[in-house]
């Protein structure tokens, strides 16, 4: 769950930067699934970056999983990040690490046992259909495969908040359908999920409450 | 099923190669060892000059067997001049020891002049060596009393040249300390530059694992451990390279620093114990301390550099 109150964000600083979000207020409860909609440049990626703690809001109050971000020290923010999963448009995979190591990275940062890590990685990679590509390097995979690896890494530690930026744009219809069913299953288990997309067809096929942005302003919040 | 290879995402073996940094830190450790050795040698010479020859005062008593002229103050019967002088010196605070040169010592000391006169029966004064505590100037206090007991007594103190040599040694020590400081500063700058280069090389990976929840202490700890070990390794090599040079210098400096007789020839090159005996224990300890000091400096510098760099991330 998260709460935003009067949040603004500008690239390059609040005084001289380019405004990406203006006075956005949102309140999303635990276990909710929300579509994040809007045209290019509407501020969707900025909102997801604020929610995944990649950037700090220029102004306003951000509270994620009950933690007030601005008042929290760096070590506390690091702990909070371990409860947030993020799927980025560019996948964010390390090119010199194998698929296995990329997916295992969040668990290793949590100091899990190697045997447990191996079990979890094999289970999630089987689910995304890439259990035979564990030793491959990301550049050796197709775009769709890389996206599935990024999704596997984002959900392997069952985050309390999951944000995904266009997670289906490199997937075929069958894989996208599997992914959406998994997202809904995670939401049922208590994960709060926000998915940004341009794909009207998938939004229509999997209806859910929406957050819509336009020119950085919140124009619709159907919670 | 289980992976064999652990990968922390930072790939520090690529970011911080294992040759460049040890070579530079090893060079710095080598220079630091030489500078420290210079400082230790200067300290050793200073100690020798201050507590050795420079601390000796010579008292000459002409006609030592003649009766003293004033022993009433001591409440004794009139004694010989030499007895009166020795008694006065023994009762004077600040004098740590006296040694009256024997006849043989005196003749050996004066042999060149005695041979020139050709008269071995020439009457000689008694000569007494006084050892005084450092910083004590007893001559000014005791000389009038000695001259009252034995007119013609002479006292020579070599503190002028020993003080100058001690000041020179102190200057050399200061220069050595300055050189060590400069070497350490350069080493810190080298480590900072190498660490920053490593951070730039792996900035994408660092950004990613930061986003996945890695703490600053985790990332800086990984970098600092790697750099600390490389610096330790460089320090070991620097100390090992400095060892033969210090052994050679110690052999050359032995006549100037040893209290006893220094060996005239170098020990056999296979006799490690003999070579090691040449090194003062302070130099040996210094060679042992340089590698961990290099490692610790590298570790601390990297911790600070990485943590400062990470502040740019949210």
């Amino acid at each position: 769950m998260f709460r935003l109150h009067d949040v603004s964000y500008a690239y390059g600083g609040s005084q001289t930067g380019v405004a990406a979000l203006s006075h956005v207020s949102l309140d999303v409860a635990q276990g909710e699934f929300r579509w994040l909609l809007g045209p290019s440049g509407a501020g969707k990626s900025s909102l997801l970056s604020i929610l995944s703690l990649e950037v700090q809001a220029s102004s306003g109050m951000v509270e994620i999983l009950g933690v007030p971000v601005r008042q929290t020290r760096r070590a506390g923010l690091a702990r909070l990040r371990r409860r947030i999963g993020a799927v980025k448009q560019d996948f964010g995979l390390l090119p010199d690490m194998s698929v296995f190591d990329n997916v295992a990275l969040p668990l290793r940062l949590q100091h899990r046992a190697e045997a447990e890590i191996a079990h979890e990685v094999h289970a999630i990679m089987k689910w995304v259909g890439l259990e035979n590509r564990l030793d491959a390097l990301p550049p050796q995979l197709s775009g769709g495969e890389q996206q599935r690896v990024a999704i596997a890494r984002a959900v392997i530690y069952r985050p309390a908040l999951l944000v995904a930026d266009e997670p289906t744009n490199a997937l075929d219809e069958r894989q996208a359908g599997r992914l959406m069913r998994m997202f809904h299953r995670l939401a049922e288990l208590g994960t709060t999920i926000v998915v940004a997309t341009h794909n009207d067809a998938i939004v229509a096929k999997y209806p859910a409450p929406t957050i819509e942005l336009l020119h950085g302003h919140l124009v619709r919040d159907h919670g | 099923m289980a992976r064999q290879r652990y990968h922390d995402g930072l790939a520090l073996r690529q970011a911080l190669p294992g040759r460049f940094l040890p070579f530079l830190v090893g060079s710095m450790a080598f220079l630091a060892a030489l500078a420290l050795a210079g400082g230790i040698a200067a300290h050793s010479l200073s100690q020798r000059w201050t507590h050795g020859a420079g601390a000796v005062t010579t008292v000459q008593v002409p006609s030592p067997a003649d009766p003293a002229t004033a022993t009433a103050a001591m409440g004794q019967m009139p004694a010989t001049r030499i007895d009166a002088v020795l008694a006065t010196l023994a009762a004077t605070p600040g004098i740590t020891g006296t040694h009256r040169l024997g006849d043989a010592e005196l003749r050996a000391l004066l042999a060149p002049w005695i041979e020139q006169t050709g008269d071995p029966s020439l009457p000689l004064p008694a000569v007494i060596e006084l050892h005084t505590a450092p910083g004590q100037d007893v001559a000014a206090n005791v000389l009038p009393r000695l001259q009252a007991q034995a007119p013609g007594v002479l006292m020579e103190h070599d503190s002028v040249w020993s003080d100058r040599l001690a000041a020179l040694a102190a200057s050399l020590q200061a220069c050595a300390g300055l050189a060590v400081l400069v070497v350490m500063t350069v080493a810190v700058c080298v480590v900072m530059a190498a660490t920053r280069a490593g951070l730039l090389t792996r900035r994408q990976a660092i950004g990613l694992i930061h986003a996945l929840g890695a703490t600053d202490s985790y990332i800086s700890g990984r970098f600092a451990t790697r750099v600390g070990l490389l610096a330790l390794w460089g320090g070991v090599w620097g100390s090992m390279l400095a060892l033969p040079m210090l052994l050679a210098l110690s052999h050359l400096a032995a006549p100037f620093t040893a209290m006893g007789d220094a060996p005239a020839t170098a020990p056999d090159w296979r006799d490690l114990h003999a070579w090691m005996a040449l090194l003062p224990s302070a130099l040996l300890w210094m060679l042992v301390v340089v590698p961990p000091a290099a490692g610790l400096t590298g570790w601390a510098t990297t911790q600070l550099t990485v943590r400062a760099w990470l502040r740019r991330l949210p």
Side-chain angles (χ1 to χ4, degrees):
Chain A
M1 60 184 171
F2 62 87
R3 286 172 58 212
L4 307 182
H5 178 70
D6 201 22
V7 166
S8 297
Y9 175 68
Y11 295 106
S14 56
Q15 301 296 319
T16 57
V18 178
L21 286 177
S22 296
H23 307 290
V24 172
S25 295
L26 279 169
D27 193 344
V28 177
Q30 182 183 357
E32 274 196 63
F33 181 100
R34 294 284 191 101
W35 291 114
L36 177 58
L37 307 176
S40 294
K44 301 189 299 296
S45 294
S46 296
L47 180 59
L48 294 183
S49 295
I50 288 171
L51 293 176
S52 61
L53 303 178
E54 276 185 63
V55 298
Q56 288 256 18
S58 307
S59 64
M61 187 276 292
V62 178
E63 187 181 290
I64 295 173
L65 304 174
V67 178
V69 171
R70 200 174 291 279
Q71 288 80 29
T72 304
R73 298 168 71 94
R74 291 179 65 82
L77 291 178
R79 283 193 294 275
L80 184 56
R81 285 189 186 96
R82 291 179 209 158
R83 301 171 62 198
I84 300 171
V87 182
K88 300 170 73 173
Q89 264 186 306
D90 64 0
F91 315 135
L93 302 175
L94 288 173
D96 55 355
M97 283 174 69
S98 69
V99 165
F100 181 96
D101 285 327
N102 265 286
V103 177
L105 199 49
L107 301 181
R108 283 181 173 148
L109 289 173
Q110 295 176 7
H111 307 293
R112 303 270 190 95
E114 280 297 309
E116 182 191 356
I117 290 172
H119 176 77
E120 296 281 341
V121 172
H122 279 85
I124 193 73
M125 293 310 290
K126 188 173 182 183
W127 185 85
V128 297
L130 291 173
E131 69 271 29
N132 296 324
R133 307 302 306 273
L134 292 175
D135 291 323
L137 297 174
Q140 297 169 329
L141 303 178
S142 69
E145 287 173 329
Q146 289 188 44
Q147 190 152 40
R148 282 144 69 191
V149 174
I151 291 164
R153 190 183 61 194
V155 302
I156 192 169
Y157 51 104
R158 296 178 185 84
L161 171 63
L162 177 65
V163 296
D165 201 354
E166 305 284 0
T168 58
N169 64 353
L171 303 181
D172 59 33
E173 194 174 337
R174 188 179 64 86
Q175 290 166 344
R178 288 188 69 187
L179 178 64
M180 292 314 301
R181 284 192 293 278
M182 185 188 75
F183 280 173
H184 280 97
R185 175 68 183 139
L186 283 173
E188 286 169 10
L189 292 172
T191 299
T192 304
I193 300 175
V194 180
V195 177
T197 186
H198 284 111
N199 189 336
D200 293 336
I202 202 161
V203 173
K205 190 170 181 182
Y206 298 95
T210 56
I211 300 164
E212 190 167 348
L213 297 172
L214 186 63
H215 303 310
H217 293 273
L218 181 66
V219 294
R220 188 165 55 156
D221 177 18
H222 287 174
Chain B
M1 177 168 165
R3 301 289 103 180
Q4 298 300 314
R5 191 166 54 88
Y6 175 81
H7 201 319
D8 65 0
L10 293 171
L12 295 180
R13 285 177 188 276
Q14 297 162 26
L16 297 162
R19 290 184 183 170
F20 174 69
L21 199 57
F23 171 73
L24 288 176
V25 173
S27 304
M28 298 294 126
F30 175 75
L31 293 175
L34 292 187
L36 281 169
I40 290 171
H43 177 73
S44 172
L45 286 173
S46 167
Q47 291 294 304
R48 175 165 159 72
W49 291 332
T50 305
H51 297 99
V56 174
T57 301
T58 309
V59 179
Q60 289 183 39
V61 185
S63 308
D66 290 355
T69 55
T71 53
M74 299 159 66
Q76 294 173 348
M77 294 296 288
T80 60
R81 288 158 57 91
I82 185 63
D83 289 340
V85 166
L86 284 170
T88 301
L89 292 175
T92 303
I95 294 176
T96 56
T98 58
H99 170 62
R100 182 185 174 184
L101 298 189
D103 194 50
E105 286 177 287
L106 200 54
R107 289 197 177 277
L109 191 66
L110 300 175
W113 293 275
I114 290 173
E115 285 168 6
Q116 280 177 11
T117 63
D119 182 4
S121 63
L122 195 68
L124 297 176
V127 175
I128 304 165
E129 279 184 0
L130 295 186
H131 290 271
T132 55
Q136 295 278 338
D137 183 14
V138 298
N141 299 326
V142 79
L143 186 58
R145 285 190 282 147
L146 296 182
Q147 285 178 332
Q149 295 169 323
V153 164
L154 294 174
M155 190 174 258
E156 289 179 3
H157 185 54
D158 300 324
S159 67
V160 176
W161 67 264
S162 69
D163 287 349
R164 286 178 182 167
L165 287 174
L168 174 65
S171 303
L172 288 174
Q173 277 181 271
C175 288
L178 192 64
V180 170
L181 200 64
V182 169
V183 164
M184 281 188 70
T185 306
V186 172
V188 164
C189 291
V190 164
V191 168
M192 283 175 69
T195 303
R196 283 185 181 156
L199 285 166
L200 287 176
T201 304
R202 300 300 296 169
R203 63 183 180 278
Q204 185 198 359
I206 294 167
L208 178 68
I209 69 167
H210 173 81
L212 288 173
T215 58
D216 290 359
S217 60
Y218 172 84
I219 298 170
S220 62
R222 304 293 291 190
F223 270 85
T225 302
R226 171 79 177 159
V227 172
L229 288 173
L230 292 177
L232 176 69
W233 186 233
V236 169
W237 275 108
S239 275
M240 287 175 65
L241 286 175
L243 180 61
M245 192 163 285
L246 293 183
L247 285 171
L249 288 174
S250 294
H251 175 64
L252 291 174
F256 305 103
T257 55
M259 290 295 187
D261 290 336
T265 56
D268 186 276
W269 66 273
R270 288 161 296 192
D271 189 353
L272 184 63
H273 288 291
W275 278 107
M276 296 309 280
L278 280 175
L279 271 188
S281 59
L283 276 183
L284 269 177
W285 275 112
M286 181 269 294
L287 287 175
V288 170
V289 164
V290 162
L296 195 62
T297 303
W299 183 89
T301 304
T302 308
Q303 278 278 358
L304 294 174
T305 306
V306 175
R307 282 173 183 267
W309 191 88
L310 289 173
R311 302 298 295 184
R312 68 186 64 186
L313 300 177

